[in-house]
Each structure stands twice: as structure tokens, then as C-alpha cells.
mmCIF file with all atom_site columns, all heavy atoms in Angstrom:
data_model
loop_
_atom_site.group_PDB
_atom_site.id
_atom_site.type_symbol
_atom_site.label_atom_id
_atom_site.label_alt_id
_atom_site.label_comp_id
_atom_site.label_asym_id
_atom_site.label_entity_id
_atom_site.label_seq_id
_atom_site.pdbx_PDB_ins_code
_atom_site.Cartn_x
_atom_site.Cartn_y
_atom_site.Cartn_z
_atom_site.occupancy
_atom_site.B_iso_or_equiv
_atom_site.pdbx_formal_charge
_atom_site.auth_seq_id
_atom_site.auth_comp_id
_atom_site.auth_asym_id
_atom_site.auth_atom_id
_atom_site.pdbx_PDB_model_num
ATOM 1   N N   . GLY A 1 1  ? 7.216  -15.289 3.936  1.00 98.00 ? 1  GLY A N   1
ATOM 2   C CA  . GLY A 1 1  ? 6.422  -14.132 3.968  1.00 98.00 ? 1  GLY A CA  1
ATOM 3   C C   . GLY A 1 1  ? 4.935  -14.473 4.253  1.00 98.00 ? 1  GLY A C   1
ATOM 4   O O   . GLY A 1 1  ? 4.357  -15.429 3.636  1.00 98.00 ? 1  GLY A O   1
ATOM 5   N N   . ASP A 1 2  ? 4.327  -13.664 5.169  1.00 98.00 ? 2  ASP A N   1
ATOM 6   C CA  . ASP A 1 2  ? 2.870  -13.901 5.430  1.00 98.00 ? 2  ASP A CA  1
ATOM 7   C C   . ASP A 1 2  ? 2.030  -13.312 4.261  1.00 98.00 ? 2  ASP A C   1
ATOM 8   O O   . ASP A 1 2  ? 2.124  -12.114 3.931  1.00 98.00 ? 2  ASP A O   1
ATOM 9   C CB  . ASP A 1 2  ? 2.534  -13.175 6.744  1.00 98.00 ? 2  ASP A CB  1
ATOM 10  C CG  . ASP A 1 2  ? 1.072  -13.418 7.158  1.00 98.00 ? 2  ASP A CG  1
ATOM 11  O OD1 . ASP A 1 2  ? 0.187  -12.642 6.598  1.00 98.00 ? 2  ASP A OD1 1
ATOM 12  O OD2 . ASP A 1 2  ? 0.862  -14.226 8.039  1.00 98.00 ? 2  ASP A OD2 1
ATOM 13  N N   . LEU A 1 3  ? 1.137  -14.163 3.706  1.00 98.00 ? 3  LEU A N   1
ATOM 14  C CA  . LEU A 1 3  ? 0.371  -13.783 2.568  1.00 98.00 ? 3  LEU A CA  1
ATOM 15  C C   . LEU A 1 3  ? -0.593 -12.638 2.799  1.00 98.00 ? 3  LEU A C   1
ATOM 16  O O   . LEU A 1 3  ? -0.625 -11.642 2.001  1.00 98.00 ? 3  LEU A O   1
ATOM 17  C CB  . LEU A 1 3  ? -0.380 -15.005 1.996  1.00 98.00 ? 3  LEU A CB  1
ATOM 18  C CG  . LEU A 1 3  ? -1.055 -14.770 0.648  1.00 98.00 ? 3  LEU A CG  1
ATOM 19  C CD1 . LEU A 1 3  ? -0.130 -14.477 -0.418 1.00 98.00 ? 3  LEU A CD1 1
ATOM 20  C CD2 . LEU A 1 3  ? -1.957 -16.013 0.337  1.00 98.00 ? 3  LEU A CD2 1
ATOM 21  N N   . THR A 1 4  ? -1.186 -12.560 3.922  1.00 97.00 ? 4  THR A N   1
ATOM 22  C CA  . THR A 1 4  ? -2.110 -11.526 4.266  1.00 97.00 ? 4  THR A CA  1
ATOM 23  C C   . THR A 1 4  ? -1.346 -10.232 4.462  1.00 97.00 ? 4  THR A C   1
ATOM 24  O O   . THR A 1 4  ? -1.815 -9.160  3.938  1.00 97.00 ? 4  THR A O   1
ATOM 25  C CB  . THR A 1 4  ? -2.893 -11.911 5.553  1.00 97.00 ? 4  THR A CB  1
ATOM 26  O OG1 . THR A 1 4  ? -3.630 -13.142 5.377  1.00 97.00 ? 4  THR A OG1 1
ATOM 27  C CG2 . THR A 1 4  ? -3.898 -10.742 5.969  1.00 97.00 ? 4  THR A CG2 1
ATOM 28  N N   . LYS A 1 5  ? -0.303 -10.203 5.226  1.00 98.00 ? 5  LYS A N   1
ATOM 29  C CA  . LYS A 1 5  ? 0.559  -9.067  5.380  1.00 98.00 ? 5  LYS A CA  1
ATOM 30  C C   . LYS A 1 5  ? 1.001  -8.543  4.015  1.00 98.00 ? 5  LYS A C   1
ATOM 31  O O   . LYS A 1 5  ? 1.011  -7.381  3.719  1.00 98.00 ? 5  LYS A O   1
ATOM 32  C CB  . LYS A 1 5  ? 1.712  -9.291  6.297  1.00 98.00 ? 5  LYS A CB  1
ATOM 33  C CG  . LYS A 1 5  ? 1.381  -9.542  7.804  1.00 98.00 ? 5  LYS A CG  1
ATOM 34  C CD  . LYS A 1 5  ? 2.663  -9.882  8.565  1.00 98.00 ? 5  LYS A CD  1
ATOM 35  C CE  . LYS A 1 5  ? 2.347  -10.269 9.919  1.00 98.00 ? 5  LYS A CE  1
ATOM 36  N NZ  . LYS A 1 5  ? 3.585  -10.666 10.705 1.00 98.00 ? 5  LYS A NZ  1
ATOM 37  N N   . GLY A 1 6  ? 1.504  -9.500  3.248  1.00 98.00 ? 6  GLY A N   1
ATOM 38  C CA  . GLY A 1 6  ? 2.169  -9.151  1.949  1.00 98.00 ? 6  GLY A CA  1
ATOM 39  C C   . GLY A 1 6  ? 1.159  -8.491  1.061  1.00 98.00 ? 6  GLY A C   1
ATOM 40  O O   . GLY A 1 6  ? 1.491  -7.473  0.383  1.00 98.00 ? 6  GLY A O   1
ATOM 41  N N   . LYS A 1 7  ? -0.049 -8.998  0.975  1.00 98.00 ? 7  LYS A N   1
ATOM 42  C CA  . LYS A 1 7  ? -1.091 -8.379  0.126  1.00 98.00 ? 7  LYS A CA  1
ATOM 43  C C   . LYS A 1 7  ? -1.358 -6.929  0.436  1.00 98.00 ? 7  LYS A C   1
ATOM 44  O O   . LYS A 1 7  ? -1.420 -6.034  -0.406 1.00 98.00 ? 7  LYS A O   1
ATOM 45  C CB  . LYS A 1 7  ? -2.405 -9.184  0.125  1.00 98.00 ? 7  LYS A CB  1
ATOM 46  C CG  . LYS A 1 7  ? -2.312 -10.560 -0.525 1.00 98.00 ? 7  LYS A CG  1
ATOM 47  C CD  . LYS A 1 7  ? -3.466 -11.420 -0.217 1.00 98.00 ? 7  LYS A CD  1
ATOM 48  C CE  . LYS A 1 7  ? -4.855 -10.881 -0.722 1.00 98.00 ? 7  LYS A CE  1
ATOM 49  N NZ  . LYS A 1 7  ? -5.927 -11.832 -0.472 1.00 98.00 ? 7  LYS A NZ  1
ATOM 50  N N   . ALA A 1 8  ? -1.493 -6.773  1.743  1.00 98.00 ? 8  ALA A N   1
ATOM 51  C CA  . ALA A 1 8  ? -1.734 -5.337  2.191  1.00 98.00 ? 8  ALA A CA  1
ATOM 52  C C   . ALA A 1 8  ? -0.616 -4.389  1.992  1.00 98.00 ? 8  ALA A C   1
ATOM 53  O O   . ALA A 1 8  ? -0.702 -3.247  1.565  1.00 98.00 ? 8  ALA A O   1
ATOM 54  C CB  . ALA A 1 8  ? -2.192 -5.387  3.710  1.00 98.00 ? 8  ALA A CB  1
ATOM 55  N N   . ILE A 1 9  ? 0.583  -4.859  2.348  1.00 98.00 ? 9  ILE A N   1
ATOM 56  C CA  . ILE A 1 9  ? 1.861  -4.051  2.292  1.00 98.00 ? 9  ILE A CA  1
ATOM 57  C C   . ILE A 1 9  ? 2.111  -3.665  0.837  1.00 98.00 ? 9  ILE A C   1
ATOM 58  O O   . ILE A 1 9  ? 2.384  -2.501  0.454  1.00 98.00 ? 9  ILE A O   1
ATOM 59  C CB  . ILE A 1 9  ? 3.026  -4.800  2.934  1.00 98.00 ? 9  ILE A CB  1
ATOM 60  C CG1 . ILE A 1 9  ? 2.837  -4.794  4.420  1.00 98.00 ? 9  ILE A CG1 1
ATOM 61  C CG2 . ILE A 1 9  ? 4.341  -4.022  2.537  1.00 98.00 ? 9  ILE A CG2 1
ATOM 62  C CD1 . ILE A 1 9  ? 3.832  -5.638  5.156  1.00 98.00 ? 9  ILE A CD1 1
ATOM 63  N N   . ILE A 1 10 ? 2.110  -4.684  -0.061 1.00 98.00 ? 10 ILE A N   1
ATOM 64  C CA  . ILE A 1 10 ? 2.477  -4.392  -1.458 1.00 98.00 ? 10 ILE A CA  1
ATOM 65  C C   . ILE A 1 10 ? 1.410  -3.448  -2.129 1.00 98.00 ? 10 ILE A C   1
ATOM 66  O O   . ILE A 1 10 ? 1.788  -2.624  -2.824 1.00 98.00 ? 10 ILE A O   1
ATOM 67  C CB  . ILE A 1 10 ? 2.522  -5.714  -2.228 1.00 98.00 ? 10 ILE A CB  1
ATOM 68  C CG1 . ILE A 1 10 ? 3.749  -6.540  -1.682 1.00 98.00 ? 10 ILE A CG1 1
ATOM 69  C CG2 . ILE A 1 10 ? 2.635  -5.536  -3.741 1.00 98.00 ? 10 ILE A CG2 1
ATOM 70  C CD1 . ILE A 1 10 ? 3.738  -8.024  -2.142 1.00 98.00 ? 10 ILE A CD1 1
ATOM 71  N N   . HIS A 1 11 ? 0.109  -3.696  -1.803 1.00 98.00 ? 11 HIS A N   1
ATOM 72  C CA  . HIS A 1 11 ? -0.945 -2.827  -2.428 1.00 98.00 ? 11 HIS A CA  1
ATOM 73  C C   . HIS A 1 11 ? -0.755 -1.374  -1.912 1.00 98.00 ? 11 HIS A C   1
ATOM 74  O O   . HIS A 1 11 ? -0.828 -0.488  -2.713 1.00 98.00 ? 11 HIS A O   1
ATOM 75  C CB  . HIS A 1 11 ? -2.267 -3.414  -1.981 1.00 98.00 ? 11 HIS A CB  1
ATOM 76  C CG  . HIS A 1 11 ? -3.436 -2.622  -2.519 1.00 98.00 ? 11 HIS A CG  1
ATOM 77  N ND1 . HIS A 1 11 ? -4.165 -1.762  -1.752 1.00 98.00 ? 11 HIS A ND1 1
ATOM 78  C CD2 . HIS A 1 11 ? -3.932 -2.535  -3.808 1.00 98.00 ? 11 HIS A CD2 1
ATOM 79  C CE1 . HIS A 1 11 ? -5.090 -1.162  -2.549 1.00 98.00 ? 11 HIS A CE1 1
ATOM 80  N NE2 . HIS A 1 11 ? -4.945 -1.620  -3.737 1.00 98.00 ? 11 HIS A NE2 1
ATOM 81  N N   . ASN A 1 12 ? -0.514 -1.277  -0.635 1.00 98.00 ? 12 ASN A N   1
ATOM 82  C CA  . ASN A 1 12 ? -0.366 0.075   -0.108 1.00 98.00 ? 12 ASN A CA  1
ATOM 83  C C   . ASN A 1 12 ? 0.897  0.791   -0.648 1.00 98.00 ? 12 ASN A C   1
ATOM 84  O O   . ASN A 1 12 ? 0.819  1.908   -1.015 1.00 98.00 ? 12 ASN A O   1
ATOM 85  C CB  . ASN A 1 12 ? -0.281 0.011   1.449  1.00 98.00 ? 12 ASN A CB  1
ATOM 86  C CG  . ASN A 1 12 ? -0.122 1.429   2.086  1.00 98.00 ? 12 ASN A CG  1
ATOM 87  O OD1 . ASN A 1 12 ? 0.960  1.747   2.559  1.00 98.00 ? 12 ASN A OD1 1
ATOM 88  N ND2 . ASN A 1 12 ? -1.203 2.162   2.087  1.00 98.00 ? 12 ASN A ND2 1
ATOM 89  N N   . ALA A 1 13 ? 1.986  0.072   -0.643 1.00 97.00 ? 13 ALA A N   1
ATOM 90  C CA  . ALA A 1 13 ? 3.209  0.666   -1.131 1.00 97.00 ? 13 ALA A CA  1
ATOM 91  C C   . ALA A 1 13 ? 3.133  1.073   -2.645 1.00 97.00 ? 13 ALA A C   1
ATOM 92  O O   . ALA A 1 13 ? 3.788  2.069   -3.022 1.00 97.00 ? 13 ALA A O   1
ATOM 93  C CB  . ALA A 1 13 ? 4.389  -0.331  -0.966 1.00 97.00 ? 13 ALA A CB  1
ATOM 94  N N   . LYS A 1 14 ? 2.363  0.403   -3.397 1.00 97.00 ? 14 LYS A N   1
ATOM 95  C CA  . LYS A 1 14 ? 2.218  0.663   -4.808 1.00 97.00 ? 14 LYS A CA  1
ATOM 96  C C   . LYS A 1 14 ? 1.146  1.726   -5.115 1.00 97.00 ? 14 LYS A C   1
ATOM 97  O O   . LYS A 1 14 ? 1.374  2.588   -5.979 1.00 97.00 ? 14 LYS A O   1
ATOM 98  C CB  . LYS A 1 14 ? 2.044  -0.603  -5.625 1.00 97.00 ? 14 LYS A CB  1
ATOM 99  C CG  . LYS A 1 14 ? 1.804  -0.350  -7.139 1.00 97.00 ? 14 LYS A CG  1
ATOM 100 C CD  . LYS A 1 14 ? 3.120  0.023   -7.823 1.00 97.00 ? 14 LYS A CD  1
ATOM 101 C CE  . LYS A 1 14 ? 3.245  1.489   -8.097 1.00 97.00 ? 14 LYS A CE  1
ATOM 102 N NZ  . LYS A 1 14 ? 4.489  1.810   -8.796 1.00 97.00 ? 14 LYS A NZ  1
ATOM 103 N N   . THR A 1 15 ? 0.031  1.567   -4.471 1.00 96.00 ? 15 THR A N   1
ATOM 104 C CA  . THR A 1 15 ? -1.128 2.321   -5.004 1.00 96.00 ? 15 THR A CA  1
ATOM 105 C C   . THR A 1 15 ? -1.519 3.577   -4.070 1.00 96.00 ? 15 THR A C   1
ATOM 106 O O   . THR A 1 15 ? -2.376 4.275   -4.473 1.00 96.00 ? 15 THR A O   1
ATOM 107 C CB  . THR A 1 15 ? -2.368 1.430   -5.044 1.00 96.00 ? 15 THR A CB  1
ATOM 108 O OG1 . THR A 1 15 ? -2.747 0.939   -3.780 1.00 96.00 ? 15 THR A OG1 1
ATOM 109 C CG2 . THR A 1 15 ? -2.081 0.207   -5.977 1.00 96.00 ? 15 THR A CG2 1
ATOM 110 N N   . ARG A 1 16 ? -1.016 3.725   -2.864 1.00 95.00 ? 16 ARG A N   1
ATOM 111 C CA  . ARG A 1 16 ? -1.446 4.774   -2.036 1.00 95.00 ? 16 ARG A CA  1
ATOM 112 C C   . ARG A 1 16 ? -1.247 6.144   -2.708 1.00 95.00 ? 16 ARG A C   1
ATOM 113 O O   . ARG A 1 16 ? -2.174 6.925   -2.893 1.00 95.00 ? 16 ARG A O   1
ATOM 114 C CB  . ARG A 1 16 ? -0.686 4.829   -0.646 1.00 95.00 ? 16 ARG A CB  1
ATOM 115 C CG  . ARG A 1 16 ? -1.227 5.813   0.346  1.00 95.00 ? 16 ARG A CG  1
ATOM 116 C CD  . ARG A 1 16 ? -0.259 5.983   1.534  1.00 95.00 ? 16 ARG A CD  1
ATOM 117 N NE  . ARG A 1 16 ? 0.802  6.918   1.066  1.00 95.00 ? 16 ARG A NE  1
ATOM 118 C CZ  . ARG A 1 16 ? 0.777  8.215   1.049  1.00 95.00 ? 16 ARG A CZ  1
ATOM 119 N NH1 . ARG A 1 16 ? -0.317 8.871   1.588  1.00 95.00 ? 16 ARG A NH1 1
ATOM 120 N NH2 . ARG A 1 16 ? 1.829  8.955   0.688  1.00 95.00 ? 16 ARG A NH2 1
ATOM 121 N N   . ARG A 1 17 ? -0.032 6.340   -3.192 1.00 89.00 ? 17 ARG A N   1
ATOM 122 C CA  . ARG A 1 17 ? 0.243  7.548   -4.080 1.00 89.00 ? 17 ARG A CA  1
ATOM 123 C C   . ARG A 1 17 ? 1.380  7.100   -4.965 1.00 89.00 ? 17 ARG A C   1
ATOM 124 O O   . ARG A 1 17 ? 2.518  7.246   -4.651 1.00 89.00 ? 17 ARG A O   1
ATOM 125 C CB  . ARG A 1 17 ? 0.668  8.791   -3.244 1.00 89.00 ? 17 ARG A CB  1
ATOM 126 C CG  . ARG A 1 17 ? -0.534 9.542   -2.657 1.00 89.00 ? 17 ARG A CG  1
ATOM 127 C CD  . ARG A 1 17 ? -0.111 10.937  -2.158 1.00 89.00 ? 17 ARG A CD  1
ATOM 128 N NE  . ARG A 1 17 ? 0.135  11.846  -3.309 1.00 89.00 ? 17 ARG A NE  1
ATOM 129 C CZ  . ARG A 1 17 ? 0.554  13.056  -3.156 1.00 89.00 ? 17 ARG A CZ  1
ATOM 130 N NH1 . ARG A 1 17 ? 0.765  13.541  -1.938 1.00 89.00 ? 17 ARG A NH1 1
ATOM 131 N NH2 . ARG A 1 17 ? 0.779  13.861  -4.171 1.00 89.00 ? 17 ARG A NH2 1
ATOM 132 N N   . PRO A 1 18 ? 1.029  6.578   -6.106 1.00 91.00 ? 18 PRO A N   1
ATOM 133 C CA  . PRO A 1 18 ? 2.112  5.988   -7.012 1.00 91.00 ? 18 PRO A CA  1
ATOM 134 C C   . PRO A 1 18 ? 3.038  6.995   -7.529 1.00 91.00 ? 18 PRO A C   1
ATOM 135 O O   . PRO A 1 18 ? 4.121  6.657   -7.979 1.00 91.00 ? 18 PRO A O   1
ATOM 136 C CB  . PRO A 1 18 ? 1.288  5.357   -8.122 1.00 91.00 ? 18 PRO A CB  1
ATOM 137 C CG  . PRO A 1 18 ? -0.056 6.002   -8.059 1.00 91.00 ? 18 PRO A CG  1
ATOM 138 C CD  . PRO A 1 18 ? -0.295 6.334   -6.628 1.00 91.00 ? 18 PRO A CD  1
ATOM 139 N N   . SER A 1 19 ? 2.719  8.357   -7.478 1.00 84.00 ? 19 SER A N   1
ATOM 140 C CA  . SER A 1 19 ? 3.579  9.301   -8.086 1.00 84.00 ? 19 SER A CA  1
ATOM 141 C C   . SER A 1 19 ? 4.611  9.848   -7.109 1.00 84.00 ? 19 SER A C   1
ATOM 142 O O   . SER A 1 19 ? 5.405  10.772  -7.485 1.00 84.00 ? 19 SER A O   1
ATOM 143 C CB  . SER A 1 19 ? 2.715  10.570  -8.532 1.00 84.00 ? 19 SER A CB  1
ATOM 144 O OG  . SER A 1 19 ? 2.127  11.197  -7.436 1.00 84.00 ? 19 SER A OG  1
ATOM 145 N N   . VAL A 1 20 ? 4.725  9.314   -5.933 1.00 87.00 ? 20 VAL A N   1
ATOM 146 C CA  . VAL A 1 20 ? 5.765  9.824   -4.991 1.00 87.00 ? 20 VAL A CA  1
ATOM 147 C C   . VAL A 1 20 ? 6.941  8.821   -4.879 1.00 87.00 ? 20 VAL A C   1
ATOM 148 O O   . VAL A 1 20 ? 6.866  7.686   -5.312 1.00 87.00 ? 20 VAL A O   1
ATOM 149 C CB  . VAL A 1 20 ? 5.084  10.039  -3.530 1.00 87.00 ? 20 VAL A CB  1
ATOM 150 C CG1 . VAL A 1 20 ? 4.078  11.112  -3.643 1.00 87.00 ? 20 VAL A CG1 1
ATOM 151 C CG2 . VAL A 1 20 ? 4.465  8.738   -3.013 1.00 87.00 ? 20 VAL A CG2 1
ATOM 152 N N   . CYS A 1 21 ? 8.000  9.401   -4.304 1.00 88.00 ? 21 CYS A N   1
ATOM 153 C CA  . CYS A 1 21 ? 9.285  8.674   -4.415 1.00 88.00 ? 21 CYS A CA  1
ATOM 154 C C   . CYS A 1 21 ? 9.332  7.387   -3.521 1.00 88.00 ? 21 CYS A C   1
ATOM 155 O O   . CYS A 1 21 ? 10.259 6.580   -3.684 1.00 88.00 ? 21 CYS A O   1
ATOM 156 C CB  . CYS A 1 21 ? 10.407 9.568   -4.051 1.00 88.00 ? 21 CYS A CB  1
ATOM 157 S SG  . CYS A 1 21 ? 10.346 10.341  -2.479 1.00 88.00 ? 21 CYS A SG  1
ATOM 158 N N   . ASN A 1 22 ? 8.456  7.211   -2.528 1.00 93.00 ? 22 ASN A N   1
ATOM 159 C CA  . ASN A 1 22 ? 8.477  5.995   -1.753 1.00 93.00 ? 22 ASN A CA  1
ATOM 160 C C   . ASN A 1 22 ? 7.643  4.897   -2.170 1.00 93.00 ? 22 ASN A C   1
ATOM 161 O O   . ASN A 1 22 ? 7.422  3.937   -1.509 1.00 93.00 ? 22 ASN A O   1
ATOM 162 C CB  . ASN A 1 22 ? 8.253  6.410   -0.266 1.00 93.00 ? 22 ASN A CB  1
ATOM 163 C CG  . ASN A 1 22 ? 6.869  7.066   -0.056 1.00 93.00 ? 22 ASN A CG  1
ATOM 164 O OD1 . ASN A 1 22 ? 5.928  6.815   -0.824 1.00 93.00 ? 22 ASN A OD1 1
ATOM 165 N ND2 . ASN A 1 22 ? 6.692  7.818   1.007  1.00 93.00 ? 22 ASN A ND2 1
ATOM 166 N N   . SER A 1 23 ? 6.986  5.074   -3.350 1.00 95.00 ? 23 SER A N   1
ATOM 167 C CA  . SER A 1 23 ? 6.086  4.011   -3.785 1.00 95.00 ? 23 SER A CA  1
ATOM 168 C C   . SER A 1 23 ? 6.846  2.866   -4.418 1.00 95.00 ? 23 SER A C   1
ATOM 169 O O   . SER A 1 23 ? 7.997  3.026   -4.927 1.00 95.00 ? 23 SER A O   1
ATOM 170 C CB  . SER A 1 23 ? 5.106  4.579   -4.917 1.00 95.00 ? 23 SER A CB  1
ATOM 171 O OG  . SER A 1 23 ? 5.814  5.001   -6.076 1.00 95.00 ? 23 SER A OG  1
ATOM 172 N N   . LEU A 1 24 ? 6.288  1.667   -4.348 1.00 97.00 ? 24 LEU A N   1
ATOM 173 C CA  . LEU A 1 24 ? 6.992  0.427   -4.843 1.00 97.00 ? 24 LEU A CA  1
ATOM 174 C C   . LEU A 1 24 ? 7.185  0.428   -6.308 1.00 97.00 ? 24 LEU A C   1
ATOM 175 O O   . LEU A 1 24 ? 6.245  0.655   -7.100 1.00 97.00 ? 24 LEU A O   1
ATOM 176 C CB  . LEU A 1 24 ? 6.147  -0.700  -4.367 1.00 97.00 ? 24 LEU A CB  1
ATOM 177 C CG  . LEU A 1 24 ? 6.616  -2.090  -4.766 1.00 97.00 ? 24 LEU A CG  1
ATOM 178 C CD1 . LEU A 1 24 ? 7.961  -2.470  -4.164 1.00 97.00 ? 24 LEU A CD1 1
ATOM 179 C CD2 . LEU A 1 24 ? 5.543  -3.169  -4.369 1.00 97.00 ? 24 LEU A CD2 1
#
């Protein structure tokens, strides 16, 4: 896994809207 991609993807998936069903 690419560390730069991973940091951005994981952060977005978890914090964009944590209360919705597609959040990490």
C-alpha cells in the first residue's frame, strides 16, 4: 500500500461524515 494514498483515503473514509453508512 502507498503510504500517501493510504493516509488520505483512510482519513477521508473515516472523518468526512462519520455518521453515515459508508464511513470506515
Side-chain angles (χ1 to χ4, degrees):
D2 181 279
L3 188 60
T4 301
K5 292 179 187 176
K7 288 167 67 174
I9 290 169
I10 292 164
H11 181 254
N12 179 256
K14 180 67 260 181
T15 66
R16 190 195 74 87
R17 279 195 72 186
S19 66
V20 296
C21 57
N22 58 26
S23 65
L24 177 62

